[in-house]
Amino acid sequence: MRHLYDRQRLLRSGRGFTLLELLVVMVIIGLLAAYVGPKYFSQVGKSEIKMAQAQIDALEKALHQYRLDVGSYPSTENGLAALITQPNNEPRWQGPYLSKAPPQDPWGRPYVYKYPGDNAEFDLFSMGKDGQIGGEGEAADITNW
């Protein structure tokens, strides 16, 4: 009986957290978020760059297979779409060379393809996070050369 009485007395007292205790907890949570947040978002940027590099590598392999079958790389006008649908002037085309449409880069823009290339046999690149040619860090171009 004494146990029941003590429990009811505690419930009636209504002791909760003070404003100071709540502020201290909120400051601690804010400090943790300020420390962890930037580290998390820098990892997101690195993973987007690695994804773009992997996609360019896969597109390069498909383009090389296209060249083996047809004898040359797709023209700039036909672009990466030639890996999915047969161009009208290519009777030796044996594709599709990709299982689905060429992906967009991790920032939602199409990859730039140019044949013949200025820097390699063909140029294939993403303009990076900023969508502009050039740049540094996360805004740098991701290329096949």
Side-chain angles (χ1 to χ4, degrees), residues 7 22 43 56 62 76 82 115 119:
R7 184 171 178 198
L22 289 174
Q43 294 300 320
I56 286 174
T76 302
Y115 176 75
N119 302 289

Side-chain angles (χ1 to χ4, degrees), residues 17-26:
F17 295 108
T18 65
L19 181 59
L20 182 61
E21 290 170 329
L22 289 174
L23 287 174
V24 167
V25 169
M26 290 178 68

Side-chain angles (χ1 to χ4, degrees), residues 3 6 10 33 43-44 53 70-71 73 78 98 103 121 142 144:
H3 174 67
D6 288 340
L10 284 172
Q43 294 300 320
V44 170
Q53 290 169 335
V70 174
Y73 293 105
N78 288 333
L98 296 172
E121 199 166 4
I142 297 106
N144 71 319

Side-chain angles (χ1 to χ4, degrees), residues 92-120:
R92 296 187 299 173
W93 189 86
Q94 296 179 21
Y97 299 94
L98 296 172
S99 59
K100 55 186 176 181
Q104 293 191 333
D105 71 11
W107 301 278
R109 291 182 293 275
Y111 285 98
V112 178
Y113 171 77
K114 182 179 178 186
Y115 176 75
D118 296 328
N119 302 289

Side-chain angles (χ1 to χ4, degrees), residues 13-111:
S13 71
R15 170 107 167 79
F17 295 108
T18 65
L19 181 59
L20 182 61
E21 290 170 329
L22 289 174
L23 287 174
V24 167
V25 169
M26 290 178 68
V27 166
I28 291 170
I29 291 172
L31 289 172
L32 287 172
Y35 177 73
V36 172
K39 292 189 180 294
Y40 170 75
F41 287 112
S42 72
Q43 294 300 320
V44 170
K46 289 178 186 175
S47 68
E48 288 173 332
I49 291 169
K50 287 183 181 188
M51 177 185 277
Q53 290 169 335
Q55 288 176 335
I56 286 174
D57 185 51
L59 290 170
E60 268 189 304
K61 289 176 182 169
L63 286 164
H64 292 313
Q65 185 63 46
Y66 178 98
R67 181 178 166 263
L68 288 173
D69 290 346
V70 174
S72 68
Y73 293 105
S75 66
T76 302
E77 294 77 30
N78 288 333
L80 298 175
L83 300 173
I84 294 296
T85 57
Q86 181 175 6
N88 292 334
N89 58 349
E90 297 297 347
R92 296 187 299 173
W93 189 86
Q94 296 179 21
Y97 299 94
L98 296 172
S99 59
K100 55 186 176 181
Q104 293 191 333
D105 71 11
W107 301 278
R109 291 182 293 275
Y111 285 98

